[in-house]
Amino acid sequence: MHRTGSDLLVQLVGEMSARTIEAVRAPLATALRSVQAPRLLLDMSRVRMSDRFGLGLLVSLRNATIQAGGKLILVQPTAELREMLADAGLDRHLHTCASLELAGTHVPISTRPGRLLPMRTPEEPETLPVAAPQEATPKATEA
C-alpha cells in the first residue's frame, strides 16, 4: 500500500476468496479512515477471483470509500474480473481503469510496483532496477 495525499494505491496479488478477503478488508478499512475523501486505487492486474466473496469485498470497499467521501477505482482488472462484474451487474457501480496514468493518480512513479505491464512475479526481489528508468522517462518527455 502506498499513500500520496488522498490517493491510496494498493497492489493486490493472488486469490480473492472467502479465506483471503479478511487479510485485505481490515487494513484497507483502517487506511480509509485515516484519509479524508480518499481515492482507493486497487491494482487488480494480478488478482484471481475465485468466488462471490471477492466481489463482496469490492462492494464493501466501494461503500466504505463512498462513506468516507471518496472513490474506489479498480485498476487493470483482468478479463475474468471484468466478466464477473458484468455478470453480477456490478460493472455499473464499480469504476475500472486500464492504467494508473488513466486513473489520474498522484502516486509518484518511483513508488509504483515496477512497470505496469508486465507485473513482477512474487519470486522477483522487492526492488527492481527498472524504477530509475521509469522516473527518467517522464522527465524526458516533459521537456
Side-chain angles (χ1 to χ4, degrees):
M1 184 180 312
H2 179 79
R3 176 179 167 195
T4 299
S6 62
D7 283 359
L8 296 170
L9 169 63
V10 179
Q11 182 183 28
L12 300 174
V13 177
E15 177 183 80
M16 284 183 68
S17 65
R19 58 191 173 123
T20 61
I21 60 172
E22 287 308 315
V24 174
R25 184 188 318 266
L28 289 181
T30 301
L32 286 172
R33 286 191 297 271
S34 69
V35 179
Q36 192 164 18
R39 282 186 351 128
L40 178 57
L41 302 144
L42 294 180
D43 182 342
M44 304 294 289
S45 62
R46 298 182 61 201
V47 172
R48 187 172 67 80
M49 303 290 282
S50 64
D51 61 29
R52 62 187 166 87
F53 292 99
L55 291 178
L57 171 65
L58 296 178
V59 170
S60 174
L61 291 172
R62 174 198 175 264
N63 293 341
T65 305
I66 288 172
Q67 285 179 338
K71 183 176 184 177
L72 170 68
I73 302 172
L74 305 179
V75 180
Q76 291 185 309
T78 62
E80 173 193 17
L81 176 55
R82 287 192 310 271
E83 185 177 321
M84 288 180 77
L85 292 173
D87 289 348
L90 294 174
D91 57 335
R92 297 181 301 244
H93 305 285
L94 294 169
H95 299 281
T96 62
C97 196
S99 71
L100 287 171
E101 286 74 19
L102 292 175
T105 183
H106 298 108
V107 177
I109 291 172
S110 63
T111 61
R112 295 181 190 170
R115 291 193 181 276
L116 294 179
L117 292 174
M119 298 301 289
R120 71 176 195 248
T121 62
E123 295 80 28
E124 291 179 307
E126 289 297 314
T127 56
L128 297 177
V130 295
Q134 281 184 330
E135 287 182 342
T137 303
K139 291 178 186 174
T141 59
E142 291 173 3

